[in-house]
């Protein structure tokens, strides 16, 4: 990997690391961060690992006005024998470039950036926690920095990677969640930015999520923006249904995020000869199958939880309860396999992990 | 107006003002800016006018990751007799609060903030240019500043106002634009954020706008996200059609921006007893009317251009040419009236302007 020009400035004031069992998500950051700048006509330049520090930007920077930005999320895991593993990180940088294309942001060199990430994790390896379920969350992102209020792609950008140790998603053991089927607000639509990991897709869901929480739900299940009928995804997860032994997940249609955990699960199910199909599935079809007692398991998938069983869906006053609010057998098997591979407890038969040496 | 607590720090290094006829939009800023911070549980605080300066934010600030932000755009105009006028600024702050509600951002006190804006313009009055067609562009905006990667509304925000002198939108006289009817990408959909002035709505249009420019169009006309059929708005303008003497503009449906120029034009047309109707209008209906020779004028409306005549629409290989690529009589009359009121050349019969004394 071409990391030759990388400049590294080590922090002289190392922070105290948090107690590993009590790390709230996304508010504690490590000692260093990676930055790289883009200038139109010159390309990406000045890759640097520097002490974690505030950003200084002109108030007219495009990011503040027109939201030209993309991000990724992945994790580094510590194994029992103290190795550090990344899970399919090349998929994240591939997706970052897909998101960037949609947002008219110049692409990064995926291999090169993976090299920089590896170097950053090496430097911060003591920040990767070891308690079961914990990890070091990795947030690569790109923001448009040019000070210019004219609507249009910026001429300068900043790519950054920040790192945040995170506690277990299920500190008291896996607990199925209650989700509201959103019937008023829309997350994304064909021709929009739904398949891109870009900032605007997230804050646009806050109102629906707040409404859902008020009525005792943990998150929302989004329906398609056109018919308000076809199931798309949960707040920050893709979704799977086990119906009469077959696993169904909404097909990628341009408005659904191409989840890397989603992809891994489909690949695993194929290896295991468990039937899995990506297709349109409407909320009516799901409800009918539920009424017939055919829905055996429901689970969300994403980097945060890996597998998050759904115990209950609330849809226009109707309540669907799955597997008696307990985690299903297949959900547990998938969870054990993927987290096992991620943390080195199980053999990685698929070449999914990369060790940071 | 309650501006008592306002702290003012005057800049000691005043910038050179640009030559008034050659000011590119949105890259030159005045000597000062307004800032105010919000802290959950405490409210908006520390209103300040300070020298224009970079912002310092944690790389984990919510604005960089989840796009929780809203903005406004309005202008200050210099009259022949050297007064400075604002055009319906209270409407901008009302709309800012509507946008904020959609993005789960706490509201500002509209009257108070208008007071702060007035004070800022007073201080920067020499920056309001005087050449015909020029003005001082005003950009109020709010960004979520809390460093937190958890998806959800931030606990801290910054409200700012920055000012930028702008040249004439039509330096060589009004010139009708050529617009492409976008058939692939979507700007907004029912239940989304289309009616809010929020960052994500803008960068999501860059790809379509770049495609349009490649084929010789100045911008895109967006169709509704559901049927890809009903006309919504142009890149940064609302749109009006004069068909057989009647003025038609798409009705506000939740995905169209509630333009203040749009509102003013509807009010003017009502005063002038010219029939105007807000309703759904499909691109097919428009094309059919065009084929029948019934489309007399087409124009966009917005703060930047006030009235921007549309000389040509390109839709799936079909070309519609309006009024021989010339500005129509009504477009000219509306332009003259509104810009006349804005710059004090015509009597403000409607109480639309506020003088900054």
């Amino acid at each position: 990997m071409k990391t030759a020009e990388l400049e590294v400035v080590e922090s002289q004031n190392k922070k105290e690391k948090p107690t590993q069992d009590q790390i709230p998500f996304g508010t504690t950051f490590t000692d260093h961060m990676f930055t790289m700048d883009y200038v139109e006509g010159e390309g990406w330049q000045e890759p640097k690992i520097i002490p974690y520090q505030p950003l200084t930007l002109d108030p007219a920077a495009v990011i503040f006005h027109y939201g030209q930005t993309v991000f990724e999320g992945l994790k580094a895991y510590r194994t029992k024998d103290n190795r550090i593993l990344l899970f399919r990180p090349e998929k994240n940088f591939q997706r970052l470039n897909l998101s960037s294309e949609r947002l008219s942001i110049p692409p990064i060199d995926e291999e090169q950036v993976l090299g920089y990430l590896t170097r950053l994790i090496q430097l911060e390896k003591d920040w990767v926690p070891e308690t079961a379920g914990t990890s070091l969350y990795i947030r690569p992102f790109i923001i448009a920095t040019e000070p210019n209020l004219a609507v249009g792609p910026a001429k300068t950008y900043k790519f950054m990677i920040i790192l945040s140790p995170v506690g277990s998603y299920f500190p008291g053991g896996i607990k199925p969640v209650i989700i509201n089927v959103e019937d008023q607000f829309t997350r994304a639509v064909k021709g929009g930015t739904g398949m891109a990991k870009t900032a605007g897709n997230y804050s646009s869901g806050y109102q629906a999520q707040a409404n859902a929480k008020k009525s005792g739900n943990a998150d929302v299940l989004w329906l398609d923006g056109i018919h308000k009928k076809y199931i798309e995804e949960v707040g920050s997860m893709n979704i799977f249904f086990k119906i009469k032994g077959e696993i169904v997940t909404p097909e990628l249609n341009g408005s659904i995020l191409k989840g890397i955990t989603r992809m891994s699960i489909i690949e695993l199910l194929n290896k295991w000869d468990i039937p899995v199909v990506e297709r349109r599935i409407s909320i009516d079809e799901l409800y009918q199958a539920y009424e017939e007692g055919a829905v055996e398991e429901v689970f969300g998938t994403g980097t945060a939880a890996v597998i998050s069983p759904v115990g209950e869906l609330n849809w226009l006053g109707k309540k669907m309860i799955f597997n008696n609010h307990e985690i299903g057998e297949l959900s547990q098997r998938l969870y054990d396999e993927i987290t096992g591979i991620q943390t080195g407890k199980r053999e990685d038969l698929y070449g999914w992990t990369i060790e940071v040496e």
Side-chain angles (χ1 to χ4, degrees), chain A:
Chain A
M1 291 171 196
K2 303 168 283 174
T3 58
E5 306 158 55
L6 180 65
E7 183 191 343
V8 179
V9 182
E10 266 209 61
S11 169
Q12 297 308 308
N13 296 297
K14 300 286 164 63
K15 301 174 194 171
E16 202 176 326
K17 293 176 185 65
T19 308
Q20 299 206 346
D21 294 339
Q22 299 161 331
I23 319 173
F25 177 75
T27 52
T28 304
F29 298 92
T30 68
D31 293 310
H32 300 88
M33 63 189 196
F34 172 80
T35 78
M36 178 168 78
D37 291 297
Y38 179 90
V39 178
E40 193 181 66
E42 299 177 12
W44 289 104
Q45 53 195 261
E46 295 187 34
K48 281 187 286 205
I49 290 174
I50 53 176
Y52 188 91
Q53 60 193 268
L55 276 177
T56 300
L57 288 172
D58 193 285
V62 169
I63 175 66
F64 296 133
H65 303 272
Y66 307 128
Q68 198 188 11
T69 177
V70 293
F71 72 91
E72 271 301 326
L74 67 161
K75 287 176 170 179
Y77 307 87
R78 185 179 294 278
T79 67
K80 286 268 181 206
D81 56 349
N82 255 327
R83 293 177 302 127
I84 291 169
L85 300 179
L86 297 172
F87 184 74
R88 313 188 85 175
E90 71 286 359
K91 299 289 180 198
N92 291 92
F93 292 120
Q94 283 167 20
R95 188 172 63 183
L96 187 72
N97 272 341
L98 285 177
S99 298
S100 287
E101 187 186 357
R102 181 64 186 85
L103 273 296
S104 303
I105 292 173
I108 47 126
D109 180 321
E110 296 164 18
E111 197 191 338
Q112 197 172 48
V113 165
L114 182 52
Y116 297 141
L117 170 62
T118 304
R119 186 68 193 82
L120 178 64
I121 303 283
Q122 280 165 351
L123 188 66
E124 301 290 62
K125 62 181 188 301
D126 293 346
W127 280 92
V128 184
E130 60 185 36
T131 313
T134 65
S135 57
L136 184 66
Y137 183 78
I138 301 164
R139 169 58 58 93
F141 64 108
I142 303 175
I143 54 174
T145 54
E146 188 196 2
N148 192 339
L149 297 185
V151 174
K155 294 188 178 69
T156 60
Y157 299 86
K158 190 178 276 289
F159 173 95
M160 302 184 68
I161 304 174
I162 57 176
L163 306 174
S164 174
V166 291
S168 173
Y169 197 85
F170 297 113
I174 296 179
K175 194 165 169 275
V177 289
I178 299 174
I179 304 275
N180 186 55
V181 182
E182 177 58 37
D183 63 315
Q184 184 192 352
F185 292 107
T186 308
R187 176 187 173 273
V189 70
K190 192 162 182 273
T193 58
M195 78 302 186
K197 264 188 111 68
T198 184
N201 290 346
Y202 293 80
S203 49
S204 61
Y206 288 176
Q207 262 194 315
Q209 282 157 345
N211 291 346
K213 277 172 192 165
K214 265 182 221 151
S215 49
N217 299 276
D219 209 330
V220 300
L221 175 63
W222 297 106
L223 301 179
D224 79 283
I226 294 180
H227 311 91
K228 281 283 178 200
K229 180 175 166 184
Y230 297 103
I231 293 170
E232 298 226 314
E233 59 180 274
V234 176
S236 50
M237 300 192 291
N238 294 112
I239 191 146
F240 286 76
F241 305 95
K242 186 177 173 210
I243 302 172
K244 290 186 194 160
E246 184 187 62
I247 316 304
V248 180
T249 191
E251 66 188 352
L252 300 178
N253 59 359
S255 59
I256 293 177
L257 192 77
K258 192 181 171 184
I260 293 160
T261 311
R262 175 186 182 279
M263 178 193 310
S264 306
I265 280 166
I266 293 170
E267 289 173 34
L268 272 186
L269 292 171
N270 281 326
K271 298 271 180 191
W272 292 348
D273 284 327
I274 294 173
V276 55
V277 57
E278 299 173 70
R279 67 168 171 88
R280 286 217 298 199
I281 176 169
S282 72
I283 186 70
D284 309 84
E285 178 190 340
L286 180 74
Y287 189 73
Q288 198 181 323
Y290 172 76
E291 288 274 88
E292 292 166 5
V295 183
E296 293 145 5
E297 296 184 35
V298 180
F299 55 92
T301 68
T303 294
V306 181
I307 300 279
S308 181
V310 177
E312 185 178 320
L313 279 179
N314 290 297
W315 175 51
L316 297 174
K318 300 189 189 86
K319 193 183 284 291
M320 297 176 240
I321 294 172
F322 306 112
N323 204 42
N324 196 27
H325 280 286
E326 286 162 20
I327 183 168
E329 198 180 318
L330 180 67
S331 306
Q332 185 73 57
R333 186 179 169 198
L334 286 163
Y335 180 83
D336 291 344
E337 180 73 3
I338 294 184
T339 59
I341 291 170
Q342 286 169 338
T343 57
K345 270 184 281 191
R346 293 199 177 187
E347 191 184 352
D348 175 7
L349 300 168
Y350 320 104
W352 284 348
T353 53
I354 291 183
E355 186 175 338
V356 178
E357 302 199 22

